[in-house]
Amino acid sequence: MTAGRGRNRSVCFGLAQPQHNPAITDHEEIAVQRTFATLMTAALLSQSVKAEEAEMQANHPYVGLWVTEDGYIRHELLPNGRYIEARGTRERAYEGRYQVMGTHIDYWDDTGFTADGDFIDGVLHHAGMIFYRGRRTGKP
């Protein structure tokens, strides 16, 4: 019997490693362990990349609050690629995701509605409306 067989394996990153199955060979067990290690490495690297992307998006010049001149409609572009649109006293009238490519923005509302806009000279032109950098009070 090979060392370690029949015993509980260690726990790695909160996930139990697979138990040894006597029906598989040592070569197969090593392959399973390598696959497990590869998957764990990929998961950890993926989290690192996502954290870097979130940090980059947080520093994106268009992330933040955009309001119409009268303050009635407010788009909050979140660093995670989501947006929240408020209208009047309805703070979460619409929500969805967005993507900025250059100075163009595309919106995909959670209800299936799509829209787009363009940032021109520090102003967002969207669906016939003009949005300015603003504060939660609705004043640009």
Side-chain angles (χ1 to χ4, degrees):
M1 186 189 258
T2 307
R5 286 192 179 180
R7 293 188 284 158
N8 287 338
R9 304 285 180 180
S10 64
V11 174
C12 179
F13 302 107
L15 298 174
Q17 291 183 351
Q19 298 291 317
H20 176 70
N21 180 344
I24 65 172
T25 66
D26 287 342
H27 185 266
E28 291 169 324
E29 182 175 353
I30 290 169
V32 168
Q33 289 175 349
R34 285 185 179 156
T35 301
F36 180 78
T38 301
L39 290 172
M40 289 305 301
T41 301
L44 292 171
L45 289 174
S46 173
Q47 288 177 350
S48 175
V49 167
K50 287 178 184 175
E52 288 175 16
E53 287 175 353
E55 183 178 327
M56 286 174 36
Q57 288 180 345
N59 296 324
H60 193 281
Y62 301 139
V63 167
L65 189 64
W66 295 85
V67 299
T68 55
E69 189 170 12
D70 62 4
Y72 185 75
I73 300 176
R74 301 169 304 283
H75 284 194
E76 187 169 3
L77 302 179
L78 304 172
N80 63 358
R82 300 277 301 165
Y83 76 91
I84 300 169
E85 179 177 316
R87 290 182 174 239
T89 59
R90 291 181 56 206
E91 286 297 319
R92 287 175 118 55
Y94 299 98
E95 296 182 56
R97 66 183 178 90
Y98 73 92
Q99 181 178 21
V100 175
M101 294 186 331
T103 58
H104 183 79
I105 185 169
D106 288 302
Y107 294 91
W108 295 272
D109 188 86
D110 290 343
T111 65
F113 178 80
T114 61
D116 66 351
D118 292 290
F119 295 91
I120 302 170
D121 295 327
V123 176
L124 171 58
H125 297 259
H126 162 71
M129 297 176 283
I130 297 175
F131 291 80
Y132 302 92
R133 281 283 190 187
R135 297 184 181 93
R136 188 150 294 281
T137 60
K139 296 180 183 173

